[in-house]
Amino acid sequence: MSAAPGKARRGTRFEQSAATREPAWIKWSILAASLGFFLLFVLLPLIAVFVEALRRGLAPYLAAIIEPDALAALRLTLTIAAIAVPLNLVFGIAAAWLIAKFDFRGKQLLTTLIDLPFSVSPVIVGLMYVLIFGANGWFGQWLLAHDLKVIFALPGIVIATVFVTFPFVARELIPLMQAQGREEEEAAVVLGANGWQVFWHVTLPNIKWGVIYGVVLANARAMGEFGAVSVVSGKLRGQTTTLPLQVEILYNEYNFAAAFAVASLLALLALVTLALKSWVEHRSRRADTGGSLSLEAAAAVAAANRATRTSAEKPAS
Amino acid sequence: MSIQVSHIHKRFGSFVALDDVSLDFHAGELVALLGPSGCGKTTLLRIIAGLEQADSGNVILEGEDASERHVRERQVGFVFQHYALFKHMTVFDNVAFGLRMKPRGQRPDDASIAAKVHALLDLVQLDWLADRFPSQLSGGQRQRIALARALAVEPRVLLLDEPFGALDAKVRKELRRWLRKLHDELHITSIFVTHDQEEALEVADRVVLMNHGRIEQVGTPEAVYNHPATPFVYGFLGSVNLFHGRVEDQVLQVGDASVPHATGGFASGAEVFAFARPHELSILTDPNATEGLAASVVRVLSFGVSSRVELDGRGSAAGQHFEVELPQAEVGKLALQPGQHVRLLPSRLRLFERSTPG
């Protein structure tokens, strides 16, 4: 062991007792394996994006970014996120509320359906919408007759994005709301609050951090979605190309510098999202503990967690 | 406010939670619903509150059928076992919640809300905690805040669902006494659910004993303890020793032992359950005694005012366990040793016909 027992104890945050520690070589080999993997497959490619983008200097980089098509793609990507994420926020909270707080027939089926977008390949999602809304699809003639464009236009891209990002908010909230139970809501109703008051004053504050976390994740996916959007967008340059599609187009044209420049823009958006996510996690952890946490409260939290785990194992009746 | 429930039925799937329950609660009374878990007591409380719908039957509040009334309009105060305080609000905001949620026309202004909240916090003796969050309070404090919150809307009836169930023994005892005192001051009709017979007997004006969705007995604590109507009530309200026997003239025949028994009312030859409380049994150490049931001493627990002796039955009572409670001094005199053969003689027996369910 490297650290002598009893010498400069750093509190309980790091394990100090030799009796409960693994040998050093195990520790270091696990650390090396995970860090090596992370560096090689996650960090290195991310750095490569920026290195490639800036290979020819700052001026060509900026030129590639303020190029009209790239700006249009950025604008479209942000527009889609701005529409799809709020829609999912509303749907997600509604679905989670329904599943967590009410018992009804078919609840299990609905819970499974919410996961569908995670299990279906995004390309199939795109094709599905082409089949429904495309010129030869089920509603194609009707849409054409009313001069409505869905496929190869903004509505199609938004619909595909909403579908792909649907589970993020709901999935985040369902376990949270189930763990919290209905008691606080019941208490509020007995005290005379109406449905809206219960939601606004009791339910929402309790799930606030879960909602924000779900929104951040949904936003990241909405901006980065490629497969489904690629099928329904038609890739009209400057019109229906989102940032990921723009990167692909530029790359296929062997315009590597521009491709990486646009890619770096997308990566930056992702990093901002990630930073937001970490901040939310940090804040929510602080909100959970509520400053000074008594031992009793900690025990209650542990008990609640246990209860949640056991109730999660049983299928909801 | 008086409450009547009449012919309430409630099932959850194939489980019958309440089976034709009818009860009267008088105005200003403190009533305990007592029974083992799963007996339907909490369901009944939630139906009275309106948090649960009965399959059939009526809830009548002050002579008026409230079955179709929404929880919000029933003006009940409800206290939950796990407090259900709003975690993100301070103690003050928790107590003020009910007042702030009133429709604009009936809502008091901020100053009168503050005055009322502080008066209630004074009542539960926790005014100094107004700015704390629920996670910073002890369990006993949380439950008192929950009670203050329920009282803020001036409910006509107070319903408490295992209010002390999540607290440790010492706090529970303290809060019990406190609740009784509070009720004597406020005289608000209150119903509380508990599975702790001591709690029910100690706090309530009347006790309703429930089992398997049915009411077994209703009465004052003295009445249900001293005159249990069914074997279930007898068994639930304290430790018991159970004998299976047959009535024969002046004695009860238990296996090959006979036990003197004075109370009449049973025909000769009737098969009965006979119950005796631990303090109603005496131990005979004379090896030549022929009266009473053969048993052997297992353990002697001597702490507190009285000692407990645990025994195993012998002979026809083999496989049964008995418990005897004796004054310390008497146990010393008997000088019981584990394994010692003794005989048990009941001074008082309560008989129930064997055909009685339970």
Side-chain angles (χ1 to χ4, degrees), chain A residues 180 183-184 186-195 197 201-202 205-206 289-290 292 294 296-297, chain B residues 46 51 70-72 76 78 80 82 84-89 97-98 101 135-136 138-139 149 153:
Chain A
Q180 286 174 349
E183 272 202 347
E184 282 188 44
E186 282 179 349
V189 173
V190 175
L191 288 168
N194 62 36
Q197 287 174 320
H201 294 288
V202 178
N206 274 333
T289 50
S292 66
S294 67
E296 189 196 347
Chain B
R46 290 172 62 86
L51 290 170
H70 193 274
V71 200
R72 219 177 294 132
V76 298
F78 203 99
F80 295 81
H82 297 289
L85 290 176
F86 307 126
K87 291 188 278 291
H88 59 285
M89 294 185 201
F97 185 84
M101 292 303 118
S135 63
Q136 298 166 311
S138 74
R149 182 179 69 176
V153 289

Side-chain angles (χ1 to χ4, degrees), chain B residues 131-177:
Chain B
D131 297 326
R132 302 273 186 93
F133 283 91
S135 63
Q136 298 166 311
L137 307 183
S138 74
Q141 291 170 337
R142 283 183 219 181
Q143 199 54 295
R144 273 145 76 187
I145 297 300
L147 195 62
R149 182 179 69 176
L151 291 172
V153 289
E154 291 173 13
R156 299 187 295 172
V157 46
L158 193 58
L159 307 171
L160 304 105
D161 182 13
E162 303 249 5
F164 314 130
L167 304 170
D168 59 60
K170 195 158 170 267
V171 180
R172 197 152 67 207
K173 207 146 187 169
E174 211 177 280
L175 273 193
R176 236 187 249 170
R177 217 169 304 134

Side-chain angles (χ1 to χ4, degrees), chain B residues 72-344:
Chain B
R72 219 177 294 132
E73 294 150 10
R74 289 196 191 189
Q75 287 182 273
V76 298
F78 203 99
V79 174
F80 295 81
Q81 180 178 2
H82 297 289
Y83 329 120
L85 290 176
F86 307 126
K87 291 188 278 291
H88 59 285
M89 294 185 201
T90 61
V91 164
F92 182 95
D93 292 336
N94 262 282
V95 178
F97 185 84
L99 299 170
R100 288 179 177 159
M101 292 303 118
K102 281 183 188 291
R104 210 169 283 272
Q106 304 164 26
R107 198 183 307 159
D109 58 68
D110 283 353
S112 33
I113 287 180
K116 176 133 197 196
V117 170
H118 283 297
L120 281 162
L121 288 175
D122 269 338
L123 182 72
V124 299
Q125 298 152 4
L126 291 175
D127 199 27
W128 50 288
L129 291 177
D131 297 326
R132 302 273 186 93
F133 283 91
S135 63
Q136 298 166 311
L137 307 183
S138 74
Q141 291 170 337
R142 283 183 219 181
Q143 199 54 295
R144 273 145 76 187
I145 297 300
L147 195 62
R149 182 179 69 176
L151 291 172
V153 289
E154 291 173 13
R156 299 187 295 172
V157 46
L158 193 58
L159 307 171
L160 304 105
D161 182 13
E162 303 249 5
F164 314 130
L167 304 170
D168 59 60
K170 195 158 170 267
V171 180
R172 197 152 67 207
K173 207 146 187 169
E174 211 177 280
L175 273 193
R176 236 187 249 170
R177 217 169 304 134
W178 178 80
L179 176 69
R180 181 67 235 186
K181 213 180 111 228
L182 193 74
H183 181 263
D184 291 339
E185 280 169 29
L186 301 175
H187 283 296
I188 177 169
T189 313
S190 309
I191 306 174
F192 79 101
V193 157
T194 178
H195 61 261
D196 181 341
Q197 81 279 0
E198 208 184 303
E199 190 170 295
L201 296 175
E202 209 174 282
V203 176
D205 295 321
R206 280 200 307 153
V207 177
V208 176
L209 274 123
M210 296 182 66
N211 190 28
H212 294 305
R214 285 209 201 83
I215 289 166
E216 294 268 339
Q217 192 175 359
V218 183
T220 62
E222 294 76 26
V224 293
Y225 189 84
N226 294 326
H227 307 287
T230 64
F232 167 79
V233 175
Y234 197 102
F236 197 76
L237 290 180
S239 312
V240 290
N241 293 291
L242 169 68
F243 311 97
H244 300 272
R246 198 169 63 247
V247 176
E248 278 177 0
D249 294 332
Q250 284 308 301
V251 296
L252 182 70
Q253 198 70 36
V254 180
D256 51 11
S258 66
V259 175
H261 158 68
T263 51
F266 284 92
S268 218
E271 297 283 335
V272 292
F273 287 118
F275 288 99
R277 298 273 181 219
H279 65 268
E280 292 167 344
L281 288 177
S282 47
I283 297 177
L284 306 178
T285 47
D286 180 2
N288 300 319
T290 53
E291 271 188 322
L293 286 117
S296 61
V297 177
V298 177
R299 235 150 66 100
V300 181
L301 306 165
S302 335
F303 45 81
V305 180
S306 52
S307 301
R308 270 183 11 243
V309 184
E310 292 175 2
L311 306 104
D312 277 344
R314 283 190 299 124
S316 57
Q320 272 191 280
H321 303 284
F322 301 110
E323 193 184 318
V324 179
E325 205 177 301
L326 296 169
Q328 284 276 28
E330 209 164 313
V331 173
K333 236 184 288 166
L334 288 171
L336 296 168
Q337 296 302 319
Q340 188 179 351
H341 286 190
V342 295
R343 297 189 89 85
L344 293 175

